[in-house]
Amino acid sequence: MHKILLLLSFLLLAIPTTAQVNRKKAKAPAAPRQSVAELMNSYRFKEAADALSKQIQTGRRRGETVDSLELMLLKANMGQNMISATEDIAVIDSFVVDKDKILSVYRISSDEGRIDYARSLLTGLTLSAKAGAMPAFSPQLGDKVYYSDKAAGGQMRLFSRDRLDDKWGEAQALPGLEDFGEEQITPFVMSDGTTMYLASTGDESLGGYDIFMTRYGSGQGQFLKPENIGMPFNSPANDYMFVIDETNNLGWFASDRFQPEGKVCVYVFIPNESRKTLSLESESAMRNFARLNSIRDTWAGETEQVKAALAKLKGGSKAEGKNKSGGDFVFVVNDAKTYTSLSDFQKPKARQLASSWAEARKMYASSLAALSADRDAWAAADKAGKEKLGPKILSQEKVVESMKANITKLEKMARAEELGK
């Protein structure tokens, strides 16, 4: 009997202990929720927007200031809209470099102009250390430079200077962009002379710097309001230095997404002739494409085009001399064909046109070098020398422009003849 009572007592003591254990298991803490910043960086913009909306409601009930939360909500909604309109592009390669060595990756044709640091393009001018170290752009003729410098308010804004009589004119703020965004850097102007890409911070940027495109409206006499070019080019990080080499049909842009401090990733892609919006059924697939998690995932259906682009990229990375890939020249027939000698051409007439094209390029390079030498001579000459060289330089500039147009015409004719168009 005594043993039975002891057993009952033990069971009664054990029951609440077991219940406590069960209650503890039931109240086990859930996995920690991702912060808004983590959601934004992982491109879960809808979830970030939902979390921010709740925080804003709570803050308003408590009488707290929610301005910063409302701005983040705008960014989250912007990110969600951007993902749905992601451009379908093929990114062929990427290079991680130190930020101060970013220009080592950009290898554009001399026909497109020159990208360099402002201190190297605006020789003879005294620039601030920050402005001098910023990438700038000069069109092919070298008579103008687009660059970034501090404006009156202390922010970096875009300016241009014209080369007049071998002297740099006064800095001119780019018309139409005075009130756009906050900071403005890395301008690049297409060969049409009107389309410009730039990077800017501000309310219309998803991250720090976003890449924008604008055009110069001759009727208005100013640049039109820039448009955000969206994903996958832009991200919640800093994205900038957008450049297109029309000669080789290659594009570059830089981003510090997923990169440690001091590093930047330069992506190389194949530009679309017209914008193509990505269409994928899976939300996660859209998100991964927009983030550029894997550049190979952007190659779908374009393997041959990617191979051709990689060949052009490899050729362009070599110093210009005999040619960019070891032959006599580089002639892009289409996305899958690139010729490097006259013997590559199958059609006799196309070969003849290509020969004229190659010779015109040599004459153009020679004339351009002579023009550059005369400009240097003009800068060092006295008044009489300047008066003598001035008309000659103006005449040479017209000849060089005409030669460039002829090269483009011959290239198109040779390509059309070879393709039978």
Side-chain angles (χ1 to χ4, degrees), residues 245-297:
D245 181 344
E246 293 178 279
T247 301
N248 293 306
N249 197 36
L250 293 173
W252 290 259
F253 71 97
S255 177
D256 61 13
R257 68 185 80 175
F258 319 131
Q259 299 304 315
E261 185 69 26
K263 294 287 186 178
V264 64
C265 183
V266 179
Y267 295 91
V268 188
F269 66 98
I270 303 174
N272 293 320
E273 290 186 10
S274 58
R275 197 181 196 283
K276 297 189 296 184
T277 301
L278 183 68
S279 178
L280 297 174
E281 293 182 3
S282 167
E283 183 177 338
S284 62
M286 287 286 288
R287 187 162 54 239
N288 289 335
F289 191 108
R291 294 181 72 193
L292 293 178
N293 280 1
S294 168
I295 64 174
R296 285 186 176 273
D297 289 346

Side-chain angles (χ1 to χ4, degrees), residues 153-410:
Q155 294 176 321
M156 298 298 286
R157 312 293 288 182
L158 294 187
F159 296 86
S160 68
R161 284 181 186 261
D162 292 316
R163 190 171 182 173
L164 306 169
D165 296 332
D166 275 2
K167 288 185 179 180
W168 293 111
E170 293 297 320
Q172 302 291 328
L174 298 190
L177 303 183
E178 299 91 345
D179 298 322
F180 177 74
E182 296 172 355
E183 299 262 318
Q184 301 171 354
I185 60 171
T186 61
F188 175 77
V189 180
M190 299 282 285
S191 59
D192 62 11
T194 62
T195 304
M196 182 173 70
Y197 291 92
L198 67 144
S200 177
T201 59
D203 293 345
E204 297 186 52
S205 298
L206 175 63
Y209 285 102
D210 269 20
I211 300 165
F212 293 81
M213 186 274 289
T214 180
R215 288 188 174 87
Y216 185 80
S218 56
Q220 299 89 339
Q222 63 180 29
F223 285 94
L224 306 179
K225 183 180 178 181
E227 298 177 0
N228 192 307
I229 67 171
M231 294 178 181
F233 308 106
N234 290 320
S235 71
N238 292 300
D239 307 283
Y240 52 100
M241 201 66 204
F242 187 95
V243 171
I244 291 182
D245 181 344
E246 293 178 279
T247 301
N248 293 306
N249 197 36
L250 293 173
W252 290 259
F253 71 97
S255 177
D256 61 13
R257 68 185 80 175
F258 319 131
Q259 299 304 315
E261 185 69 26
K263 294 287 186 178
V264 64
C265 183
V266 179
Y267 295 91
V268 188
F269 66 98
I270 303 174
N272 293 320
E273 290 186 10
S274 58
R275 197 181 196 283
K276 297 189 296 184
T277 301
L278 183 68
S279 178
L280 297 174
E281 293 182 3
S282 167
E283 183 177 338
S284 62
M286 287 286 288
R287 187 162 54 239
N288 289 335
F289 191 108
R291 294 181 72 193
L292 293 178
N293 280 1
S294 168
I295 64 174
R296 285 186 176 273
D297 289 346
T298 71
W299 296 3
E302 298 187 29
T303 306
E304 293 303 316
Q305 292 89 331
V306 169
K307 286 181 180 178
L310 283 169
K312 286 185 282 187
L313 177 62
K314 183 179 180 181
S317 66
K318 299 178 182 178
E320 290 186 8
K322 187 177 180 183
N323 83 66
K324 298 177 182 177
S325 58
D328 299 321
F329 49 73
V330 173
F331 188 98
V332 180
V333 180
N334 55 28
D335 289 337
K337 277 185 190 177
T338 300
Y339 294 168
T340 58
S341 69
L342 292 176
S343 61
D344 292 336
F345 286 85
Q346 304 300 308
K347 307 286 182 65
K349 187 174 180 181
R351 191 180 304 118
Q352 182 181 2
L353 288 166
S355 177
S356 299
W357 168 81
E359 188 62 30
R361 280 169 59 92
K362 292 178 183 178
M363 293 176 63
Y364 174 77
S366 177
S367 297
L368 196 60
L371 174 59
S372 179
D374 283 342
R375 282 173 168 169
D376 292 339
W378 187 96
D382 56 18
K383 183 178 180 181
K386 282 180 168 59
E387 290 177 352
K388 182 179 179 181
L389 283 170
K392 181 183 178 183
I393 290 172
L394 291 174
S395 177
Q396 282 179 308
E397 288 176 344
K398 291 179 181 178
V399 170
V400 165
E401 284 280 4
S402 177
M403 292 174 74
K404 183 179 180 181
N406 185 50
I407 289 170
T408 302
K409 180 181 178 181
L410 287 169

